[in-house]
Amino acid sequence: MLRNLRVVVPVLVVVGCLGWLASWVVETTAWRWMVNDAVSRSQVALGGARDGLLASWRRGDRDALGRQLAALTHESPIAWALLCTADLERVAQTRDYPTEFGCASVGARSRLAVPGAPRGRWSWRPWSGLEQLEGERVQVTAEPVKEDGRTFGVAVLVQRMGYAERRVARLEDFIAIFFGLIGLFGAIGALQGYRFFWRDWTDELRRMLGGKASRPEFHPLLQDVQELVSQLADESQDGGGPVCTPERLRQTLRRHLRGEKILVVANREPYIHDRAPNGEIVVRHPASGLVTALEPVMRACSGVWIAHGSGTADRETADRRGRLSAPPGESAYTLRRIWLSKEEEQGFYFGFANEGLWPLCHLAHARPIFRKADWEHYRKVNQRFADAVCEEAEGPDPIVLVQDYHFALAPRMIRERLPGATILSFWHIPWPHAEQIAICPWYAELLEGLLGSSILGFHIQLHCNNFLEAADRYLEARVDRERMGVVLGGRATLVRPYPISIEWPPRWLADSPPVNECRRSVFQELGLREGMLLGVGVDRLDYTKGIEERFLAVERLLEREARFRGRFVFAQLGAPSRSTIPRYQQMNDEIDQVASRINRRFGGPGYKPIQLLRQHHEPPTVFRYYRAADLCSVSSLHDGMNLVAKEFVAARDDCRGVLVLSPFTGAARELTEALLANPYDVDRSSAALAAALDMPVAEQEARMKAMRRFLGEFNVYRWAERMLVDAARNRLAGRLSERLREAARAS
Ligand code: G6P
């Protein structure tokens, strides 16, 4: 008994101390974040309502002020609001406003006003504090309301923080349970370890599984079980390090899939060879989120990337079969180019994929166009890529990664020719609601095509749910919502969310100049003076990216805040894209007009608030702009993930700069420390830009650090690893059930 206690007590003491420490750290950090969020929320809300309030104030219309305050607290975490004059007299307030936080009391607490001091000597500064109200914590934020240097008064916003208390309490419970369990299992483990050396146990298990005494007909089955056991052991090692690196991905491939090479099917090639006007051949890195994510994975895994050869010098730089080593000058993997005729490219790429599926899947109010002839080309081109996969496959069961909306039919076509293939399909754009997908005249073929995959991945759970719903409604399929799978014609497809990410650290960062040099060179290129403020946007010129909305937010900012006029410049790096499609041409004209109007309105000699740099920019330039900027705006109207948001964070190893992000991106679910702004709400978007430009350095650093930590951990190697490990499990489970069927038939 005494010997047992000697083993158990130290374990419990250590775990107890760690638990206490973890609980303290988590509580302090969680509170800090929630308070910061509450303050930003108040500032953004007030920023949005400011103009209306000022207008009513100037008219002396107290009723209107009361209504505007009520609107501010309607369906909002802000519970009460109050307006005081510059002399701290009450002007208007919402119903049941707590008397504890009246004008005089807030003035005194915040030292906005010192009682008895002449008015001119009061200091008008924003203030916020955490207070108690009837046993609950509340966050009180007082913001001076100023215009052109004149202080109208003070707005006081009070938010209930009960939810924060509940969350922190839940976190504490969780930590207590977690450490309680660790203590329990730690104590049991220590006791067991003390008694038996664990290796004796695993040796025994191995002897049992591989024992000569077992019946020969079960040997193949036992072999698979052994494989499964060793995979489970390996997977527990996978969780060992938080950061997934190319090397770890390679090891995972070796361990789980015996290092098999990977075949990728993706329309956009990672390297485009073009003939420049001076006759030289140049290599271009296309502006594509898909390429940004997948290329590092291919460099780590090796294999073949099958893509449309779209460059003007692509044929000259490939062999007779359209193959070449990639990246240029290295040979990490093979790029296999497929040549499309002008008609095929028009029907498959511009027509069905980009005038049909692209607007169908994005909620950006563009009408999808479906033409029978485009569909025929789409089908034929999918078949050509599927045939290329079969040519490149070295055995009957290759691992194939089918990418994006260009290839909804290819998975099934590959499956028909290679039934043993492991096919992972990933849809890089949103998957719409079931009602919407049925707009496409060939929706059933699209669903059936994708269900040729072993695993079908989307960025977020919502898109998986939409897909399952469509399969349930429109196909004779069995949908298992618990396991997230669809069985069609006896074949199962798992449907899973795999939020895509970027290489970490990005390779372009290694060669990037230091931040101050980037800033100097970009300021010089844009003709900016020292002390000016720079916002950047980096996009393909696409109507889903909300570029016009972004410019309107800049216009509103300059309209409302005179202090930014002549001082703030927004540089939009816009890569021309799909320019033969009328909707894209229309969008290009629109953003030209809006940018010129804003520049005419607020620009002047040596000052152009919107600089639209319409051309393809290579990644080193893009990174230089990210690093030079005070803020980056990503205002997509709808986006599967949006890797620009993640790249901006990755580029800022100085932990400065603010990300203003649309909530309609997949990235907004992960980069929670960004400032979220609805691009359709011009007032709030402009308030978010102002909040970003005013954000104290310490807060910028704290937000950037949190997002960088997240991206370091959830990088693209982890994205690929999760899919490949799931594929390996799926493959093994398939083989196991096949063997079991064989064994059952034999007996
Ligand atoms: C999106 C798509 C990608 C595509 C990229 C660029 O990110 O999901 O598949 O490559 O846009 O578009 P593009 O038409 O130039 O390939």
Side-chain angles (χ1 to χ4, degrees):
M1 179 65 185
L2 195 60
R3 203 183 307 153
N4 285 352
L5 278 180
R6 269 211 305 264
V7 176
V8 168
V9 170
V11 173
L12 292 180
V13 170
V14 171
V15 173
C17 291
L18 285 176
W20 177 84
L21 189 68
S23 164
W24 179 79
V25 170
V26 167
E27 185 186 340
T28 323
T29 318
W31 266 112
R32 213 180 52 230
W33 275 108
M34 283 187 277
V35 165
N36 282 351
D37 276 353
V39 174
S40 312
R41 205 179 296 128
S42 294
Q43 286 169 340
V44 169
L46 197 59
R50 196 171 147 275
D51 282 355
L53 290 173
L54 279 171
S56 313
W57 211 325
R58 268 192 237 102
R59 288 198 312 274
D61 186 348
R62 288 183 179 230
D63 289 346
L65 286 171
R67 279 196 303 279
Q68 281 156 342
L69 290 186
L72 207 63
T73 56
H74 182 62
E75 289 184 5
S76 148
I78 299 164
W80 301 284
L82 164 74
L83 281 181
C84 312
T85 63
D87 294 323
L88 297 177
E89 291 296 326
R90 190 180 64 207
V91 180
Q93 67 178 44
T94 52
R95 199 138 46 102
D96 302 332
Y97 184 87
T99 46
E100 291 86 329
F101 307 122
C103 296
S105 113
V106 171
R109 272 171 222 242
S110 62
R111 301 217 193 86
L112 279 170
V114 183
R119 199 181 130 194
R121 300 194 42 205
W122 299 350
S123 64
W124 296 101
R125 285 182 282 108
W127 171 82
S128 71
L130 206 52
E131 304 279 342
Q132 284 289 338
L133 178 68
E134 292 167 4
E136 187 192 3
R137 288 202 215 187
V138 290
Q139 173 71 30
V140 184
T141 307
E143 282 276 332
V145 182
K146 300 183 183 180
E147 191 185 48
D148 294 337
R150 176 182 165 206
T151 303
F152 274 76
V154 186
V156 185
L157 303 182
V158 183
Q159 291 183 53
R160 289 181 188 280
M161 298 299 278
Y163 76 95
E165 281 176 324
R166 283 191 294 283
R167 270 189 209 165
V168 171
R170 265 213 305 277
L171 271 175
E172 281 172 346
D173 289 351
F174 174 75
I175 290 171
I177 294 172
F178 181 71
F179 278 92
L181 286 175
I182 290 193
L184 181 67
F185 288 119
I188 295 173
L191 271 180
Q192 292 300 326
Y194 188 70
R195 287 188 190 152
F196 315 101
F197 187 50
W198 70 273
R199 193 173 287 170
D200 291 348
W201 180 83
T202 48
D203 282 352
E204 183 57 25
L205 182 64
R206 284 205 182 97
R207 257 199 313 281
M208 274 165 59
L209 290 173
K212 299 226 162 46
S214 58
R215 288 171 55 186
E217 60 271 36
F218 284 125
H219 278 172
L221 184 58
L222 285 175
Q223 205 179 333
D224 286 335
V225 174
Q226 275 175 327
E227 213 171 306
L228 188 61
V229 168
S230 75
Q231 276 202 14
L232 288 174
D234 288 346
E235 269 162 34
S236 61
Q237 284 169 27
D238 289 343
V243 177
C244 189
T245 58
E247 185 44 39
R248 185 171 126 176
L249 181 58
R250 271 190 288 273
Q251 281 171 13
T252 305
L253 255 185
R254 269 198 295 277
R255 232 183 1 246
H256 294 283
L257 293 159
R258 301 207 182 86
E260 268 177 64
K261 74 177 189 186
I262 288 181
L263 304 178
V264 166
V265 177
N267 174 62
R268 186 55 67 200
E269 53 182 340
Y271 298 96
I272 302 178
H273 286 98
D274 273 335
R275 191 162 287 285
N278 64 4
E280 252 180 53
I281 293 183
V282 289
V283 183
R284 225 164 24 90
H285 301 86
S288 154
L290 178 154
V291 171
T292 304
L294 215 62
E295 209 274 338
V297 172
M298 280 307 275
R299 266 186 283 127
C301 295
S302 85
V304 186
W305 181 318
I306 305 169
H308 169 211
S310 58
T312 48
D314 268 359
R315 281 184 196 260
E316 299 162 57
T317 43
D319 68 11
R320 264 188 320 115
R321 292 177 60 203
R323 299 168 113 246
L324 67 154
S325 298
E330 297 168 47
S331 40
Y333 61 95
T334 301
L335 172 57
R336 159 96 189 258
R337 286 172 172 156
I338 304 286
W339 313 117
L340 300 183
S341 67
K342 276 277 157 263
E343 295 70 38
E344 280 172 333
E345 188 183 5
Q346 178 56 43
F348 153 74
Y349 171 76
F350 288 109
F352 194 76
N354 285 316
E355 285 190 278
L357 290 181
W358 181 266
L360 180 72
C361 293
H362 288 91
L363 301 176
H365 319 289
R367 186 193 169 110
I369 300 172
F370 291 109
R371 304 180 193 92
K372 182 87 192 310
D374 291 347
W375 166 248
E376 290 305 334
H377 280 301
Y378 186 81
R379 236 170 14 88
K380 272 197 212 122
V381 172
N382 268 251
Q383 189 63 60
R384 286 190 53 199
F385 275 76
D387 293 344
V389 167
C390 301
E391 279 168 34
E392 295 292 342
E394 284 173 355
D397 56 358
I399 298 160
V400 190
L401 306 191
V402 179
Q403 302 297 305
D404 226 352
Y405 60 100
H406 309 91
F407 297 111
L409 305 181
R412 185 171 185 181
M413 292 167 167
I414 299 169
R415 172 79 55 220
E416 275 162 9
R417 287 189 56 188
L418 296 170
T422 299
I423 306 173
L424 302 178
S425 297
F426 192 79
W427 196 262
H428 288 254
I429 62 175
W431 183 273
H433 189 266
E435 266 165 32
Q436 199 164 330
I437 196 75
I439 290 174
C440 172
W442 301 281
Y443 67 88
E445 284 91 331
L446 296 179
L447 292 168
E448 285 166 2
L450 284 167
L451 288 172
S453 319
S454 320
I455 299 183
L456 172 58
F458 296 95
H459 291 298
I460 58 172
Q461 186 66 47
L462 176 69
H463 302 157
C464 297
N465 297 349
N466 288 347
F467 183 88
L468 292 178
E469 176 64 27
D472 203 11
R473 270 203 209 178
Y474 304 127
L475 301 181
E476 292 289 323
R478 188 156 56 77
V479 173
D480 181 341
R481 287 177 201 270
E482 198 184 336
R483 292 192 56 234
M484 300 280 298
V486 181
V487 179
L488 179 69
R491 256 205 46 78
T493 301
L494 294 177
V495 179
R496 293 279 151 86
Y498 299 102
I500 206 166
S501 195
I502 51 165
E503 176 183 31
W504 186 274
R507 73 177 142 140
W508 306 109
L509 196 57
D511 299 329
S512 285
V515 166
N516 49 4
E517 267 179 45
C518 291
R519 196 160 166 97
R520 207 172 313 124
S521 69
V522 168
F523 268 45
Q524 204 171 12
E525 277 165 32
L526 300 176
L528 310 188
R529 291 181 311 279
E530 217 185 299
M532 287 179 83
L533 297 164
L534 174 66
V536 297
V538 177
D539 304 84
R540 277 184 311 102
L541 292 171
D542 193 297
Y543 55 86
T544 59
K545 303 292 178 187
I547 299 171
E548 184 177 342
E549 285 73 6
R550 195 176 303 168
F551 289 178
L552 293 177
V554 172
E555 180 178 38
R556 193 90 182 87
L557 174 78
L558 298 177
E559 212 169 72
R560 287 160 38 140
E561 306 254 11
R563 65 199 170 104
F564 290 123
R565 289 180 211 151
R567 210 172 144 229
F568 175 62
V569 165
F570 190 84
Q572 175 65 49
L573 274 59
S577 178
R578 308 173 191 168
S579 346
T580 58
I581 298 178
R583 181 67 186 86
Y584 284 77
Q585 292 165 357
Q586 182 196 340
M587 185 225 71
N588 270 278
D589 293 346
E590 280 162 6
I591 59 171
D592 271 344
Q593 283 165 18
V594 174
S596 318
R597 193 193 67 226
I598 298 172
N599 286 339
R600 269 198 310 277
R601 198 169 157 206
F602 292 104
Y607 176 57
K608 199 170 161 197
I610 303 254
Q611 303 217 12
L612 176 52
L613 309 174
R614 181 186 277 124
Q615 71 186 69
H616 173 78
H617 292 91
E618 281 292 301
T621 308
V622 173
F623 269 71
R624 212 156 42 81
Y625 272 74
Y626 285 144
R627 284 162 75 72
D630 296 286
L631 67 84
C632 174
S633 168
V634 172
S635 54
S636 307
L637 305 182
H638 197 194
D639 219 326
M641 175 54 68
N642 192 295
L643 293 182
V644 166
K646 293 190 172 180
E647 273 190 339
F648 172 66
V649 172
R652 299 314 296 255
D653 53 2
D654 61 337
C655 292
R656 296 287 174 83
V658 181
L659 175 63
V660 179
L661 182 58
S662 157
F664 311 126
T665 58
R669 288 156 170 86
E670 297 186 314
L671 302 178
T672 46
E673 291 77 16
L675 290 188
L676 293 190
N678 171 359
Y680 293 95
D681 186 338
V682 183
D683 280 343
R684 284 190 188 222
S685 296
S686 71
L689 291 178
L693 293 172
D694 286 336
M695 189 179 286
V697 167
E699 190 179 342
Q700 292 181 27
E701 279 179 359
R703 286 175 186 265
M704 254 311 163
K705 269 189 194 145
M707 293 192 281
R708 289 176 63 78
R709 244 193 325 271
F710 178 87
L711 287 182
E713 198 172 327
F714 294 96
N715 58 22
V716 77
Y717 302 114
R718 178 166 286 207
W719 170 78
E721 185 187 64
R722 281 189 52 217
M723 284 204 307
L724 291 170
V725 169
D726 283 355
R729 275 203 196 126
N730 190 272
R731 204 167 158 101
L732 194 63
R735 281 185 191 158
L736 266 175
S737 48
E738 186 54 34
R739 291 250 195 273
L740 284 170
R741 272 198 294 274
E742 276 169 21
R745 276 198 296 271
S747 64

